[in-house]
Amino acid sequence: MRRTACLLAILLCLSTQAVQADHKKSTKKTVEEFVAGFSLSAATRCSLVLNDSKQEWPAVIFSLSENNGHPDGAVLLPVSEFERTRNLRPRWGRAGLELAMLMSYSQARYWIRYSRFIEDWQYRLTWADQKRRFFTTEALRFDSNAFYLNWTHALAGMLYYEFARTNNLSWLQSLVFSFGGSLYWEYIVEWREIISINDNIMTAVGGFALGEAWFQMGRYFHNSNNPVGRLLSWLNPFMKANGWLDRKKPLSAYHHNYNRAAQDVYLFLGYRNSPVSASPDENTGNLAVSLHSRIITDSSYGLPGRVDEKFSSPFYSQMDFDFMFHGATREELGVTARVVPLGRFKQDISWDRKGFSLYYGLGSAFFLYLKRPVTDYDAGKIPVDRPEDFHFELPRDFRDKLAAVHFLGPVADLTLYSGPWKLRLKTEAYPSFGMINSLPLNSYSADNDIQGMKTTLKFYGYHYAFGPDLESLAEITYRSLRLTGFYNYVYYRSIQGRDRFQSWLTDDSPLRDSRKHYGLRLEFRIPGTLLSLTGSMEGVKRWGRVHELEARSLEKRYYLGLKYRL
């Protein structure tokens, strides 16, 4: 009996171990299969019931299925794929090649057409002349080019920046491309000319603000499931091209998880009542078309939880294009780009939607406002080496324009949450470089000879200036209603003593100009749609002084239209 009992005990132990081994093997196989197929490929939304009404409130809830048809298309990744999209290899060689190709084409084209810019020639290809250009401040001047030519240097800087940024370089590394491209063009390509201070500022700093905002907008559309958004992703063809070269499965290099509720990206189409260039003193009906993007890259912004962290990559970006048409004629063009790349983000929001979100740091911006010119000289169609074609015996007839680069300045944005209520407060301040139309010049030229004044002023109506830019915004949201008030103010004093033809000036007196833009906007979000009905009232108040002559103007604008959220 004892031997039988011992034998049974031994058999029981062996069978138990075998079952355990089989179970472990089966479990290991199951885990391996689970891990292999584990994609966390979609996020879903939940809704909290607030005051007996459903309000969308995004939260991170994941599904272990590969395709759950979620409309936002947000994707959570395995660790290896997550690390790949977080740590993309910078493509320095490809970025440099793309920049070199553009530079080579532009340089060849410019040198072929060099004789058309003979009024800019001031230096010869001799050691004496080039030594003065490179090693003294003699050549550092503000140039005499038309307004359209000078502000578009920011677009060139945007391209230089984008070559780097869409090849996985950081914003600081990409900034080297915009600065380097600008310096190469000014010092090498334009070796006959002065080294334009305004071109370097517009290309390098303006190119950074435009380029980063363009990159962020392109990446947002690149990740969109909205068919209109996917179409708009082609607004950044460099991201498309370089993304195709870097294509990998399952995701592209530019994949990013966005908290869609925190973004404000939309198309606007509507009616605008305001003056036009041909009748600046009376309002008339016009068509307003806009594309606006205000993007927060941190996917936890506005979600329940606590956050306190520094950021050293762009946290907020803004890219706005505004057009006004009177019939088939484009009356106004506006471009705004804004980036906050450095700062701190704090957030404390409870699950019952009470708390705050705050970010503050340093930002930079680019701004363009351009009315349709009504004369050839204001449009830049006449070069400065043909002064007889300007007909200075007639009073000037310039229209308002401003191109500004806002250098690094403090930005703070606070949002308070309480159930269905949301209050947002934002303030910004920048040191600003601008090219601004002199408001009193038209009146001044009627009784005074302006031919001895600053070169760009007498030929094209604008002057180079420096001053403070202050901006603020207050916004209150209750369910589907949003009321926004804003106020922007910039004051400029002309920069003295560095005109391209400084020795020719007989009247280099300082000029002063300011611009205030303020307004109130009401928006109603139409339930169950991507549309919002929007109406606003705005004012643009201008002031300027030439000698003792002052001028003031007030333009009133009224909007009514539809926003389509993207």
Side-chain angles (χ1 to χ4, degrees):
M1 288 293 292
R2 288 180 180 179
R3 290 179 180 177
T4 303
C6 288
L7 184 60
L8 288 173
I10 292 171
L11 290 173
L12 179 62
C13 289
L14 290 174
S15 63
T16 301
Q17 290 177 358
V19 169
Q20 288 177 342
D22 288 342
H23 177 69
K24 287 181 180 179
K25 187 181 294 183
S26 176
T27 301
K28 183 179 180 181
K29 183 178 181 181
T30 301
V31 170
E32 288 175 348
E33 290 176 352
F34 174 78
V35 170
F38 187 69
S39 67
L40 288 177
S41 64
T44 62
R45 270 188 297 196
C46 69
S47 294
L48 296 178
V49 178
L50 303 171
N51 296 339
D52 299 326
S53 67
K54 286 190 176 181
Q55 171 112 1
E56 280 191 353
W57 186 253
V60 178
I61 301 175
F62 59 83
S63 167
L64 301 182
S65 62
E66 188 143 332
N67 294 301
N68 68 356
H70 184 256
D72 282 348
V75 180
L76 303 178
L77 306 171
V79 173
S80 60
E81 190 69 9
F82 175 76
E83 286 300 317
R84 181 182 73 81
T85 58
R86 288 269 299 205
N87 301 293
L88 296 169
R89 182 166 67 89
R91 305 285 186 176
W92 285 95
R94 194 168 69 201
L97 177 62
E98 292 172 356
L99 178 61
M101 290 171 62
L102 175 67
M103 278 291 186
S104 299
Y105 167 77
S106 301
Q107 178 175 316
R109 185 168 177 267
Y110 186 73
W111 282 355
I112 290 170
R113 300 167 63 242
Y114 225 161
S115 60
R116 296 176 59 180
F117 302 96
I118 194 169
E119 73 274 9
D120 294 335
W121 294 7
Q122 290 181 243
Y123 293 91
R124 296 167 300 169
L125 193 59
T126 65
W127 169 246
D129 274 19
Q130 294 304 313
K131 182 174 68 172
R132 284 160 45 218
R133 282 187 80 248
F134 276 83
F135 302 113
T136 73
T137 60
E138 175 191 307
L140 293 174
R141 301 277 173 168
F142 291 96
D143 68 34
S144 58
N145 294 331
F147 184 83
Y148 84 90
L149 190 59
N150 275 340
W151 83 258
T152 52
H153 276 80
L155 300 182
M158 180 177 74
L159 292 178
Y160 305 158
Y161 183 93
E162 212 66 14
F163 287 138
R165 199 68 171 99
T166 58
N167 275 300
N168 308 328
L169 276 68
S170 70
W171 69 273
L172 276 173
Q173 293 166 337
S174 302
L175 190 58
V176 173
F177 273 62
S178 61
F179 266 101
S182 178
L183 294 176
Y184 174 81
W185 189 270
E186 291 297 320
Y187 277 88
I188 305 300
V189 178
E190 296 182 337
W191 59 268
R192 296 177 184 265
E193 305 178 24
I194 63 164
I195 298 165
S196 176
I197 299 172
N198 51 283
D199 285 354
N200 279 320
I201 294 174
M202 279 287 160
T203 307
V205 187
F208 158 64
L210 282 166
E212 183 60 35
W214 190 26
F215 173 82
Q216 296 295 342
M217 184 179 71
R219 187 171 67 164
Y220 179 85
F221 288 139
H222 185 82
N223 286 270
S224 175
N225 267 0
N226 184 308
V228 178
R230 286 198 298 269
L231 179 63
L232 290 173
S233 66
W234 285 98
L235 288 175
N236 192 327
F238 301 104
M239 178 172 288
K240 283 287 188 180
N242 288 322
W244 182 83
L245 292 172
D246 278 339
R247 62 193 184 281
K248 288 188 178 181
K249 301 297 183 182
L251 296 174
S252 72
Y254 304 113
H255 169 77
H256 189 79
N257 273 331
Y258 288 98
N259 172 11
R260 299 286 172 177
Q263 319 306 327
D264 192 13
V265 183
Y266 62 88
L267 285 166
F268 174 83
L269 179 67
Y271 170 84
R272 170 175 155 176
N273 183 265
S274 63
V276 294
S277 289
S279 304
D281 298 323
E282 60 182 65
N283 280 26
T284 186
N286 306 283
L287 174 68
V289 181
S290 302
L291 170 61
H292 285 203
S293 70
R294 290 159 175 78
I295 296 170
I296 292 177
T297 59
D298 193 308
S299 58
S300 65
Y301 184 89
L303 296 179
R306 293 183 180 180
V307 180
D308 186 357
E309 60 187 15
K310 294 180 180 179
F311 57 85
S312 57
S313 61
F315 184 90
Y316 172 86
S317 71
Q318 174 183 340
M319 188 72 154
D320 299 342
F321 299 98
D322 297 293
F323 303 90
M324 188 187 83
F325 296 90
H326 186 67
T329 304
R330 180 180 60 78
E331 285 288 333
E332 286 185 18
L333 168 64
V335 180
T336 302
R338 198 180 311 275
V339 183
V340 182
L342 298 168
R344 193 177 194 93
F345 171 43
K346 292 186 175 184
Q347 181 169 272
D348 188 355
I349 306 175
S350 62
W351 282 98
D352 60 352
R353 202 171 184 255
K354 293 182 179 179
F356 73 92
S357 298
L358 168 68
Y359 69 85
Y360 57 89
L362 294 176
S364 180
F366 170 85
F367 176 78
L368 171 71
Y369 174 71
L370 180 62
K371 279 186 171 291
R372 180 178 67 86
V374 295
T375 62
D376 285 346
Y377 54 81
D378 193 17
K381 295 180 180 179
I382 306 175
V384 299
D385 62 341
R386 287 159 44 194
E388 67 280 358
D389 292 341
F390 284 85
H391 297 289
F392 288 109
E393 69 276 7
L394 300 175
R396 301 295 84 186
D397 196 11
F398 293 109
R399 292 296 179 265
D400 204 13
K401 46 189 170 288
L402 168 62
V405 169
H406 304 329
F407 299 101
L408 280 180
V411 177
D413 190 315
L414 170 66
T415 302
L416 303 173
Y417 307 92
S418 181
W421 291 91
K422 184 169 72 172
L423 174 64
R424 180 183 174 214
L425 302 170
K426 185 177 183 181
T427 183
E428 305 169 62
Y430 303 99
S432 180
F433 167 79
M435 303 184 300
I436 187 168
N437 185 73
S438 175
L439 187 67
L441 188 65
N442 290 347
S443 299
Y444 183 82
S445 66
D447 300 313
N448 298 274
D449 183 4
I450 67 169
Q451 294 189 66
M453 302 183 79
K454 300 177 190 300
T455 306
T456 56
L457 185 71
K458 68 183 179 185
F459 288 118
Y460 304 118
Y462 74 93
H463 60 93
Y464 301 106
F466 191 80
D469 176 86
L470 307 173
E471 308 191 19
S472 60
L473 177 144
E475 185 175 89
I476 187 166
T477 303
Y478 178 74
R479 293 196 171 96
S480 296
L481 286 173
R482 179 161 65 179
L483 180 65
T484 304
F486 65 89
Y487 180 87
N488 302 335
Y489 174 74
V490 63
Y491 173 87
Y492 284 123
R493 185 183 187 277
S494 62
I495 300 172
Q496 302 297 111
R498 304 303 297 182
D499 192 283
R500 169 175 240 148
F501 304 111
Q502 185 67 34
S503 61
W504 297 3
L505 305 188
T506 58
D507 181 4
D508 191 27
S509 55
L511 308 163
R512 296 172 178 83
D513 279 274
S514 70
R515 184 178 191 269
K516 297 177 184 177
H517 183 200
Y518 51 88
L520 198 63
R521 181 169 55 247
L522 181 63
E523 176 183 336
F524 172 69
R525 193 169 182 175
I526 301 173
T529 72
L530 296 174
L531 298 175
S532 298
L533 182 63
T534 302
S536 66
M537 300 180 296
E538 299 181 7
V540 177
K541 185 178 290 187
R542 286 279 277 112
W543 170 88
R545 173 186 286 180
V546 174
H547 289 295
E548 300 305 317
L549 178 65
E550 294 188 4
R552 290 178 171 82
S553 70
L554 174 61
E555 178 180 305
K556 296 179 180 179
R557 305 172 178 175
Y558 305 94
Y559 291 84
L560 183 63
L562 285 174
K563 287 172 56 174
Y564 176 72
R565 299 190 307 279
L566 296 166

